[in-house]
Amino acid sequence: MCPASEGEERSCAERVPRHKVTSTSTAFAVPDRTAELTRGVKMETQEDELDPLWQDLDWAIGAMFFMGFDGTEVTPQIRSLIEDHHLGSILLTTKNLKSAAQTASLVQELQTIARNAGHPVPLMIALDQENGGVNSLFDEDYICQFPSAMGVAATGSPELAYEVANATGKELFAVGINMIMGPVLDVLTNARYQPLGVRATGDDPQEVSQYGIAAMNGYKNAGITTCGKHFPSYGNLDFLGSSLDMPIITETLEQLSLGALVPFRNAIGAGLDAMMVGGCAIANAAMNVMHACLSNQVVDDLLRNDLNFNGVTISECLEMDALSHDIGVRGGTVMAVEAGCDLVLLCRSFAVQQEAISGLKLGIENGMISRERINISLRRILELKSKCTNWEQALNPSGIDQLALLHPAHLALSTKAYDKSITIMRDKGHLLPLSNTLYPEEDLLLLTPLVKPLPASAATKAVADDQGVMTEQEKAHRSSIMSGEGVFRELGRALARQRHGKLLHTSYTANGVRPQHENLINQAAAIIVVTADANRNLYQSGFTKHVAMMCSMLSAGGKRKSLIVVSVSSPYDFAMDKTIGTYVCTFDFTETAMSALVRALFGEFVPQGTLPGTLRKSRKVQKSRQHWLVESWHKDRDQKPLLALIKTIEKASPPNQFCPVSGATAASFELSLITESGEPVQESHYVVRNSSTQALFGFCSTYFYGGIGMIGALFVDPAKRNLSIGHSLHTRAVRGLLQKPGIQKLQLGLGLPGVYLGIPMSDLSEGARLKRWFANNGWDILTPRLLYTLTIRNIPNWQPPEGLLSSIQRVSFAFDLIHGRENSETVLEHVRSHAGPEVLELYRLALDDPKNCGIVRAKSPVDGALVGTVITCRQETTLATYLPVLHAAGDSVGGILAPVVPTSPQATIVLQGLALLGIRQNKTYRANTCVLNWVQGDERDTLLGMGFDVLDAFEELSCKPERFSESALA
């Protein structure tokens, strides 16, 4: 029977009120979808009289239940609950949802059944979509995967937390969902051993508050209501073992108030809509509660009175084993409502759901629960529904069309969030990125545990289909030891693609390190061990430590073994174990997370994530930067201390490795040049010094000409490194360059002075460390220019490779040698067109020293145009002042400098011809060693084929000035 009188329509043209969003921390102004919905039914608020319909006991009882069902289509059971028992709220789970389109259709059908059955207000339909490993809705084409709560917090950006939550909310809104079971507001008081893990933000109450409120506002501004969980906290539970044993909170109320309750209190103040009360026990001096959601001490006293929560309270699922065995569902339902719960959750069995309904009805009829108590809950529920739904919205979800519009932006946001979440907690050996430390011919070994794939993994979603609907406790405490290698197999494939198939991959179990593992470890140069909650799956911890010991012993014996441990779930596995030198955290092992991991390991981006909470704060303390007094260079005062600093750096360089500052003096950094335009090179050099002893702790040289600001050198006394001296010098240098009028580009490394052509990369591990350092200080390291210094040690005995002379003669290029300014204009025009300003000034200096320098030219046989040039010089040239390698490479050195060969089909043969004539000219100088400086990356292999060896390697960096903001330099 329809509750409205005959012919009367239960609707109005009132606009649904805008969903009010307030925040004590971060406010984000995004249009609220609910404000756009203009047609709906009238929903009673606290001030309104309840509709007479609600006087019907069956309707009132139905509104107070929150139930789930099995199946991806409407079942007779859920239809009966809606039509016969007037169920008002439904929780959908993975077992109900196959795709976005099917979800929208299912939700629409459920709402249509409710409308046709005479429901005055739409159903509230909710689901879990926490991201990371806890999602209910999957659709690779329309629904985006985002990091877990802890993964988002690792980005260090509450704004990003808002964006992720808002994107998730918009996707749910599009398929008709009007409530999300989130955000998670638990504080991981005992983080290392809590199964809640990465579903929580972390162990700092204020940080959990900040990110929780940001996520809450993101959901609400997408048009859906929020349900904080799991009050009073699942962040420090004692588990007794059996599923029939209730996990216990043992903290006192004072301890809870100072820690676990802080995010709940702050979220309530910021406008949280609903609260899920957990099913855990509480045992302390002031409270002895068997089930929190059944206790008026927890719900009415603590939540309502102490924290002033006026929203809807939702019980934990009363079907959980411990509760149903201790009390029974009928009694538990009555106790939940008596305690103050407005909605009672039963998410699995139709028979149990009917039992709960009959139990509540009996409790009302026998006077245990008053009608006024029921009306209080009804008003709260109706007020909540008024914020998030009306019939116009409920019956017409925007569906696939809206999702298709959202998807590209959400996909980009997903990539951004995962990239920013990847965290390198330690990299003592500077092993990352692997592209810099692992040679192509060397083997990489991947060792992965046998674990259950996350339901959020689309490729492995089917694994969850045989599992029943889980309560919050079961989600938290489920075992992760289960066969399921899908995600890790794909991780292995992705690593193999990066290495052109060069990968070894096997799994490990509780059986420990087997002979197969030992053989593979012996074979590989680098080993990646993946762990997933090793603190609870102790076999993973033991296995990893065994592998670490093996790698240490083999490395000590002369076999280099690089070990990288990757935690793909809880970051606390080895957070405090410094015997694991390189430790990376991803916070979940969905395919999206593993894709970001691979790109991070191979240097496609520099991971910037940090461990949330107290670990982040402690690392900030450890890494706090001391601001050193940076002074301008003073030649008379600083040139001798600078020479002493250079000698110190030379002595500290590894044996058999060329040191770029070898042979340098103070004069090597002072150009004092007038450029081609007539303007002097603007030089500004900086030092950090001990004013008492006059010793220099660090030095940085900068130059500005041709619109380019260049850092030519930055080095620190090895005994004073890791004290932020380099950071202080770098900040001062960049600030000085940014103040230059007309600056168009910043450059790290240069050819004149040619001390450091860029970041030195001869030692790949040290080079990788330096690249990360400069990346952390604002530089773009993804598109470096590779530059090399090459050498031939014994020129008198060098012979050109067989066939080279004939190859050069066949193409008919003309090669000649000029000295001085006569006939030099074509040379300068060629260099001006095809090289940077510092190379042009190098050529000008060479032309001004005709006694010791010459220019080899290559001319086209067609029109005589220049197709290549190179400088040749004696060791006595004035250029050697600015190119100390000409002194450091030996006693009798000839130079071939800065080949300029534009790209063309004949570029290789032109380069070979220039090098050949340069070597011959060095022979006429009676040099024993030839140094070929400023060779670009694509030219190296050609010259190595002529008999050159690599003396040093560099990566020159450049970026726009806008990349460096004042905040970044602060």
Side-chain angles (χ1 to χ4, degrees):
M1 174 179 170
C2 178
S5 60
E6 188 173 348
E8 182 182 348
E9 183 177 356
R10 221 171 244 285
S11 65
C12 69
E14 293 179 4
R15 182 183 296 270
V16 175
R18 178 178 172 86
H19 190 163
K20 184 179 179 183
V21 179
T22 59
S23 172
T24 58
S25 58
T26 309
F28 304 90
V30 174
D32 192 331
R33 293 175 179 273
T34 58
E36 302 168 5
L37 301 167
T38 59
R39 289 197 300 153
V41 298
K42 180 172 181 176
M43 300 182 186
E44 293 83 358
T45 64
Q46 288 287 100
E47 291 74 26
D48 295 325
E49 289 295 323
L50 286 172
D51 188 297
L53 169 80
W54 301 114
Q55 298 304 315
D56 184 315
L57 185 59
D58 290 338
W59 279 96
I61 289 174
M64 293 186 64
F65 280 102
F66 188 24
M67 294 180 172
F69 66 99
D70 289 346
T72 57
E73 298 177 349
V74 173
T75 62
Q77 291 83 1
I78 193 64
R79 181 183 290 273
S80 173
L81 288 170
I82 297 170
E83 293 179 338
D84 303 330
H85 298 286
H86 316 300
L87 175 66
S89 301
I90 294 175
L91 176 66
L92 298 179
T93 67
T94 307
K95 293 189 71 173
N96 302 122
L97 310 176
K98 294 191 297 186
S99 67
Q102 175 266 339
T103 300
S105 176
L106 176 62
V107 169
Q108 187 178 40
E109 186 177 359
L110 291 169
Q111 295 286 16
T112 301
I113 292 169
R115 177 72 161 176
N116 293 340
H119 282 244
V121 295
L123 302 172
M124 188 166 68
I125 300 182
L127 53 71
D128 276 310
Q129 196 81 356
E130 295 177 17
N131 290 312
V134 180
N135 280 351
S136 298
L137 176 59
F138 316 91
D139 189 322
E140 289 184 324
D141 295 326
Y142 296 108
I143 303 298
C144 277
Q145 174 68 44
F146 293 104
S148 63
M150 192 178 289
V152 171
T155 69
S157 171
E159 292 79 10
L160 189 60
Y162 171 88
E163 292 178 43
V164 166
N166 190 249
T168 298
K170 287 177 178 177
E171 292 175 352
L172 299 185
F173 184 92
V175 297
I177 302 300
N178 49 41
M179 172 181 264
I180 187 166
M181 303 304 290
V184 173
L185 297 172
D186 303 277
V187 178
L188 292 176
T189 312
N190 188 3
R192 282 187 237 171
Y193 304 106
Q194 291 305 307
L196 197 63
V198 295
R199 295 173 62 197
T201 296
D203 61 355
D204 180 350
Q206 295 302 332
E207 193 165 273
V208 174
S209 299
Q210 186 180 25
Y211 284 88
I213 291 171
M216 180 187 78
N217 289 341
Y219 296 138
K220 293 174 77 168
N221 282 344
I224 58 176
T225 51
T226 54
C227 177
K229 57 185 184 183
H230 312 83
F231 188 84
S233 179
Y234 279 179
N236 187 17
L237 300 176
D238 285 339
F239 290 90
L240 304 180
S242 165
S243 64
L244 299 181
D245 289 326
M246 183 61 61
I248 299 174
I249 297 174
T250 57
E251 292 175 289
T252 66
L253 285 177
E254 290 76 14
Q255 289 172 322
L256 289 171
S257 182
L258 292 172
L261 296 183
V262 170
F264 294 101
R265 183 185 300 113
N266 291 340
I268 289 167
L272 185 68
D273 299 306
M275 187 79 77
M276 171 175 271
V277 183
C280 56
I282 303 175
N284 57 48
M287 191 179 291
N288 188 11
V289 171
M290 186 178 296
H291 304 283
C293 61
L294 309 186
S295 167
N296 62 347
Q297 285 182 282
V298 175
V299 183
D300 267 348
D301 294 347
L302 184 57
L303 180 58
R304 295 280 186 209
N305 297 333
D306 293 354
L307 301 189
N308 297 315
F309 181 61
N310 295 315
V312 171
T313 54
I314 303 173
S315 77
E316 168 66 282
C317 179
L318 299 192
E319 295 180 57
M320 58 191 303
D321 289 340
L323 192 149
S324 59
H325 281 77
D326 284 347
I327 296 172
V329 170
R330 292 180 67 167
T333 302
V334 173
M335 292 172 70
V337 175
E338 276 191 307
C341 291
D342 301 308
L343 286 173
V344 178
L345 176 60
L346 296 121
C347 50
R348 187 174 301 165
S349 164
F350 181 57
V352 171
Q353 290 164 345
Q354 289 178 307
E355 183 184 349
I357 292 170
S358 65
L360 181 56
K361 186 172 183 179
L362 181 61
I364 296 171
E365 289 174 345
N366 66 20
M368 291 181 67
I369 300 172
S370 69
R371 284 305 301 263
E372 181 54 34
R373 168 69 190 84
I374 298 298
N375 288 344
I376 290 172
S377 286
L378 278 174
R379 288 190 177 95
R380 290 184 185 132
I381 293 165
L382 293 171
E383 171 67 17
L384 180 60
K385 289 189 176 184
S386 74
K387 295 178 179 179
C388 66
T389 189
N390 57 60
W391 283 120
E392 172 73 13
Q393 171 188 321
L395 297 175
N396 300 283
S398 53
I400 295 301
D401 291 341
Q402 178 67 17
L403 288 173
L405 292 174
L406 295 171
H407 195 65
H410 288 186
L411 205 58
L413 178 63
S414 171
T415 300
K416 174 185 173 182
Y418 270 106
D419 286 359
K420 288 175 73 70
S421 72
I422 301 296
T423 298
I424 298 178
M425 179 140 188
R426 285 185 302 275
D427 187 19
K428 289 182 181 176
H430 312 304
L431 306 181
L432 300 176
L434 287 171
S435 51
N436 287 344
T437 60
L438 189 64
Y439 293 104
E441 67 275 8
E442 292 180 318
D443 284 314
L444 173 64
L445 171 61
L446 174 64
L447 297 169
T448 55
L450 287 176
V451 298
K452 179 178 181 178
L454 294 175
S457 165
T460 54
K461 172 177 176 280
V463 175
D465 290 347
D466 293 329
Q467 306 297 314
V469 178
M470 291 179 292
T471 67
E472 288 293 333
Q473 281 297 325
E474 288 167 328
K475 286 178 196 172
H477 205 207
R478 61 188 174 188
S479 170
S480 60
I481 306 174
M482 175 178 169
S483 177
E485 285 274 66
V487 178
F488 293 149
R489 276 199 299 269
E490 181 51 40
L491 170 62
R493 294 188 190 104
L495 289 169
R497 285 192 294 270
Q498 282 280 356
R499 307 205 69 238
H500 307 293
K502 197 78 172 175
L503 179 80
L504 308 169
H505 180 197
T506 190
S507 59
Y508 66 91
T509 67
N511 291 327
V513 177
R514 313 301 296 166
Q516 175 194 14
H517 298 127
E518 292 178 351
N519 292 336
L520 292 173
I521 291 167
N522 272 300
Q523 181 179 341
I527 300 96
I528 298 173
V529 178
V530 172
T531 66
D533 287 314
N535 277 316
R536 291 190 295 123
N537 301 318
L538 294 179
Y539 79 92
Q540 297 180 21
S541 178
F543 180 89
T544 304
K545 290 179 179 179
H546 190 156
V547 172
M549 182 183 68
M550 286 185 62
C551 290
S552 177
M553 292 175 64
L554 289 167
S555 296
K559 285 187 175 182
R560 182 173 69 91
K561 301 293 174 185
S562 301
L563 175 64
I564 300 158
V565 176
V566 179
S567 166
V568 297
S569 187
S570 169
Y572 299 98
D573 287 358
F574 294 97
M576 308 306 292
D577 188 347
K578 295 185 179 180
T579 62
I580 304 299
T582 299
Y583 184 48
V584 183
C585 304
T586 69
F587 304 97
D588 71 59
F589 52 99
T590 56
E591 283 94 337
T592 319
M594 295 299 94
S595 174
L597 170 65
V598 172
R599 288 183 285 109
L601 290 176
F602 283 90
E604 293 185 24
F605 67 91
V606 178
Q608 299 291 316
T610 55
L611 288 192
T614 54
L615 280 173
R616 172 151 55 203
K617 289 182 177 179
S618 67
R619 285 175 66 79
K620 282 182 179 178
V621 170
Q622 293 166 14
K623 292 186 174 182
S624 62
R625 285 169 172 159
Q626 181 73 42
H627 296 287
W628 291 79
L629 176 64
V630 177
E631 301 180 51
S632 295
W633 161 263
H634 190 289
K635 181 177 179 180
D636 292 340
R637 179 192 69 195
D638 296 328
Q639 61 179 345
K640 287 185 178 179
L642 177 59
L643 186 60
L645 176 60
I646 290 170
K647 295 299 183 185
T648 300
I649 292 172
E650 283 187 82
K651 290 178 182 177
S653 296
N656 304 318
Q657 182 177 313
F658 185 76
C659 178
V661 295
S662 293
T665 65
S668 301
F669 304 98
E670 295 183 305
L671 282 178
S672 302
L673 290 180
I674 302 298
T675 64
E676 186 183 36
S677 64
E679 296 292 325
V681 173
Q682 298 182 44
E683 301 180 53
S684 298
H685 311 321
Y686 306 98
V687 296
V688 170
R689 56 189 288 270
N690 184 327
S691 59
S692 300
T693 65
Q694 308 303 315
L696 292 191
F697 294 159
F699 174 80
C700 181
S701 63
T702 70
Y703 310 86
F704 177 73
Y705 55 98
I708 304 175
M710 295 167 272
I711 296 179
L714 174 59
F715 48 86
V716 174
D717 185 335
K720 299 292 184 182
R721 288 176 185 168
N722 298 316
L723 297 177
S724 297
I725 294 173
H727 174 77
S728 298
L729 285 166
H730 176 268
T731 300
R732 181 67 185 87
V734 173
R735 279 184 174 154
L737 292 172
L738 291 176
Q739 293 170 3
K740 302 295 184 183
I743 187 167
Q744 301 168 16
K745 184 173 81 169
L746 285 169
Q747 182 174 305
L748 185 67
L750 70 160
L752 182 69
V755 181
Y756 287 98
L757 305 183
I759 297 175
M761 297 298 296
S762 292
D763 183 332
L764 291 177
S765 296
E766 178 65 7
R769 184 190 70 81
L770 290 171
K771 284 178 67 177
R772 279 200 305 279
W773 189 90
F774 281 106
N776 291 335
N777 281 280
W779 290 87
D780 177 8
I781 66 168
L782 299 182
T783 55
R785 177 162 67 161
L786 303 179
L787 295 169
Y788 296 91
T789 300
L790 308 181
T791 185
I792 296 176
R793 293 290 183 186
N794 191 344
I795 292 181
N797 293 333
W798 178 85
Q799 294 296 325
E802 186 176 351
L804 178 61
L805 288 173
S806 58
S807 297
I808 295 173
Q809 291 167 353
R810 272 200 304 272
V811 295
S812 302
F813 284 108
F815 294 86
D816 65 5
L817 178 70
I818 67 168
H819 299 272
R821 289 284 183 168
E822 188 176 352
N823 300 320
S824 66
E825 187 51 44
T826 56
V827 171
L828 294 175
E829 181 59 35
H830 172 76
V831 176
R832 192 180 297 117
S833 300
H834 301 291
E838 77 270 27
V839 176
L840 177 62
E841 297 305 324
L842 188 64
Y843 270 79
R844 291 180 68 235
L845 284 174
L847 290 167
D848 289 338
D849 185 13
K851 180 179 178 181
N852 296 302
C853 297
I855 309 294
V856 179
R857 305 185 299 181
K859 299 179 181 179
S860 167
V862 178
D863 56 8
L866 289 190
V867 292
T869 57
V870 74
I871 300 169
T872 68
C873 66
R874 302 175 188 270
Q875 195 173 32
E876 294 78 18
T877 176
T878 55
L879 292 181
T881 302
Y882 308 116
L883 302 172
V885 66
L886 293 176
H887 290 301
D891 294 331
S892 179
V893 178
I896 306 174
L897 312 176
V900 179
V901 181
T903 302
S904 72
Q906 291 80 33
T908 296
I909 200 70
V910 170
L911 179 64
Q912 289 173 325
L914 292 171
L916 178 61
L917 265 68
I919 294 170
R920 286 181 172 176
Q921 190 65 17
N922 278 192
K923 285 187 175 183
T924 68
Y925 298 153
R926 299 178 181 270
N928 292 323
T929 300
C930 171
V931 169
L932 177 49
N933 199 39
W934 208 81
V935 174
Q936 299 191 61
D938 54 354
E939 300 171 338
R940 185 196 68 165
D941 291 346
T942 297
L943 296 166
L944 294 182
M946 293 180 64
F948 284 92
D949 295 315
V950 175
L951 181 64
D952 214 342
F954 302 89
E955 291 191 11
E956 177 194 280
L957 306 182
S958 61
C959 61
K960 295 289 185 184
E962 295 78 20
R963 189 177 178 93
F964 291 91
S965 64
E966 277 300 314
S967 60
L969 293 171

